[in-house]
Amino acid sequence: MANPALHARRQFLKFLATSPYVAAFGGVAAFLERGVSAQNPQEASTIISDPAQALDVFDFEEVAHRKMRPGHWAYMVSGVDDDGTVRANSEAFKQIELRPRRLRDATKVDMRVELFGTVYDSPIFTCPTGSEKSIHPLGELAVARADKARGTLQFLSTATSTAVEDVNKALGRPVWYQLYAPSSWDACEKILQRVEAAGCSVIALTVDNTTGRNSETYLRTRPKDLTQCTACHGGGGEPGTSVKERPMYDGIDMTGVRLQNPAMDWAFADRIRKAWKGKFIIKGIDTREDALLAVDHGLDGILVSNHGGRSTETLRATVQALPEVVAAVDNRIPVFVDGGFRRGTDVFKALALGAKGVGIGRPMLWGLGAFGQAGVDRVLEILQGELKMAMGNCGTRTVADITSAYVKTPNWTS
């Protein structure tokens, strides 16, 4: 039987992580230092010291918090406004019930999926997150090596702190590339040409965060003195705000160019469609109306995403938006999803609702910040193991077997 004290500790940390009051203290670690941990120092012994000790992905969160710089942690965990969409992403899974089928042979569960011609060991992928070297010195390379070991798809952000060529080498195959389109078409075209030359065949244009964001919790909880931060980051000390941190802009004149283009429209997407020879996904579509437009404009896929609750305070979880997007495209193009996934059962539920692949963001960063490559590897191992167990227990031997018949949900399609 699991250690009751350890289980209680993990449950308590999960509760604290969703509390705006705890955020006001500067996060879980700061809250514990001021209160609970001071009352009971023995609780510190429940913090894992090795990735193998982790029983779920939450076990990495506090370790990463203690190791990361306060400003980097505040930037990574925060959402916008009241952080309600961050919480909604995870809490929505509690509204989805599983409908397992019994007396089915579960000895040969196969999680493999084929996505745009490449076979991966599971439908779980690591999301594009910027400035991963602010989480761990090896950054994107550590993630790539863990993804390679686990047969996992890696998305790479335009805001990467490691060049795409180096990440592809560490991964052993090309990444899928997430594109923040700059306001200059010349700059955008040069990025696309570089990504193509690096062997990437899939891009995902992000469209849900083009006008900036109200990062209130980050501004409240980051260090007050940003003198040291601005020496590296510029841009007010916010990670990833300086072009010099982003090698994907090397050799491109970014004078007067905005890193994201608020004037983007469907005509701009058409322009990219004509310029890009590979597969073209849009990241950030959450409605049936835009899903239908994506099909009409010749897109190859959709990634349902709300930036992990970091763009607009919609209070609508991505798993809630998923069914209407899937219904709208009607199997004409694949639909992927990210946002709030913390369990293999969460992944199973999204697959049952029609997703072809499921992305993880913060859990991957928790693992990275806690133990580098070994932490990311263990996070993937845990989630893949939980998904395999859920598939077996529900009577689905392959990912293709997972359908809406295995879940019961509120009516999210209307």
Side-chain angles (χ1 to χ4, degrees):
M1 181 178 177
N3 186 325
L6 181 59
H7 175 74
R9 167 74 173 184
R10 293 204 315 273
Q11 295 299 112
F12 184 56
L13 289 175
K14 293 174 190 178
F15 167 76
L16 293 180
T18 64
S19 170
Y21 302 103
V22 173
F25 274 97
V28 174
F31 180 84
L32 292 176
E33 287 174 5
R34 298 185 189 192
V36 178
S37 287
Q39 297 173 22
N40 185 5
Q42 288 184 340
E43 290 188 356
S45 65
T46 64
I47 303 299
I48 64 171
S49 59
D50 185 280
Q53 296 172 342
L55 300 181
D56 58 31
V57 300
F58 296 97
D59 284 337
F60 294 94
E61 184 177 14
E62 182 59 17
V63 184
H65 193 173
R66 294 183 178 211
K67 290 185 178 182
M68 288 172 58
R69 294 181 178 179
H72 294 168
W73 176 262
Y75 181 72
M76 186 265 285
V77 301
S78 61
V80 293
D81 292 4
D82 300 316
D83 293 348
T85 308
V86 175
R87 294 189 294 273
N89 273 343
S90 294
E91 291 169 358
F93 291 106
K94 297 176 183 177
Q95 301 180 54
I96 307 174
E97 302 168 5
L98 295 181
R99 300 184 67 253
R101 297 297 306 279
R102 305 306 189 192
L103 293 174
R104 294 183 175 182
D105 185 358
T107 60
K108 296 180 180 180
V109 173
D110 185 355
M111 295 187 296
R112 290 177 299 174
V113 293
E114 182 178 328
L115 303 175
F116 293 143
T118 300
V119 176
Y120 301 94
D121 286 354
S122 84
I124 300 168
F125 62 84
T126 54
C127 288
T129 59
S131 305
E132 289 176 10
K133 284 186 178 179
S134 70
I135 309 295
H136 184 274
L138 290 179
E140 293 82 4
L141 296 181
V143 175
R145 290 162 184 160
D147 283 340
K148 181 179 181 180
R150 294 289 166 186
T152 301
L153 163 65
Q154 181 178 12
F155 256 108
L156 186 69
S157 172
T158 296
T160 176
S161 47
T162 308
V164 63
E165 296 85 357
D166 295 331
V167 179
N168 283 351
K169 184 177 179 180
L171 182 63
R173 60 175 176 271
V175 296
W176 288 14
Y177 188 83
Q178 175 268 339
L179 177 66
Y180 284 128
S183 58
S184 160
W185 174 253
D186 180 68
C188 183
E189 194 170 35
K190 283 183 168 60
I191 293 173
L192 291 174
Q193 290 169 350
R194 178 175 174 181
V195 171
E196 182 180 14
C200 300
S201 61
V202 181
I203 62 168
L205 174 67
T206 291
V207 298
D208 71 328
N209 187 30
T210 60
T211 58
R213 57 193 176 206
N214 183 32
S215 304
E216 185 175 323
T217 302
Y218 166 66
L219 294 174
R220 289 185 186 280
T221 58
R222 70 181 183 179
K224 303 305 179 185
D225 183 0
L226 299 178
T227 304
Q228 292 182 333
C229 299
T230 54
C232 294
H233 298 306
E238 184 172 314
T241 53
S242 173
V243 170
K244 68 181 182 180
E245 292 181 74
R246 299 178 173 183
M248 293 309 298
Y249 297 111
D250 289 351
I252 301 175
D253 183 4
M254 296 297 290
T255 305
V257 178
R258 296 185 61 165
L259 299 186
Q260 296 187 51
N261 182 5
M264 280 197 304
D265 55 14
W266 285 103
F268 183 85
D270 291 339
R271 193 174 188 182
I272 291 182
R273 174 72 286 178
K274 293 178 181 178
W276 177 254
K277 298 176 183 177
K279 299 295 184 181
F280 180 22
I281 298 172
I282 284 188
K283 177 181 181 288
I285 284 179
D286 300 319
T287 63
R288 68 170 63 84
E289 295 87 350
D290 282 343
L292 289 171
L293 286 169
V295 174
D296 291 343
H297 284 263
L299 274 293
D300 298 301
I302 290 171
L303 174 49
V304 177
S305 175
N306 57 23
H307 233 95
R310 291 170 58 82
S311 55
T312 303
E313 190 79 310
T314 64
L315 299 179
R316 189 175 187 228
T318 51
V319 76
Q320 289 177 289
L322 177 63
E324 73 171 74
V325 173
V326 169
V329 305
D330 194 24
N331 290 316
R332 288 173 288 182
I333 58 176
V335 177
F336 308 91
V337 66
D338 64 28
F341 290 87
R342 304 289 186 263
R343 288 286 188 182
T345 48
D346 297 343
V347 176
F348 184 95
K349 292 170 182 179
L351 296 172
L353 295 177
K356 300 301 181 184
V358 174
I360 58 166
R362 288 185 177 91
M364 175 264 290
L365 295 177
W366 297 340
L368 179 65
F371 300 106
Q373 177 184 340
V376 179
D377 182 87
R378 178 61 180 151
V379 165
L380 290 170
E381 181 182 30
I382 288 171
L383 290 174
Q384 288 177 347
E386 289 179 351
L387 174 60
K388 186 174 183 179
M389 185 178 299
M391 289 176 63
N393 286 336
C394 287
T396 54
R397 294 181 61 179
T398 70
V399 172
D401 292 336
I402 305 172
T403 69
S404 59
Y406 291 90
V407 292
K408 181 180 179 181
T409 69
N411 184 12
W412 286 336
T413 58
S414 62

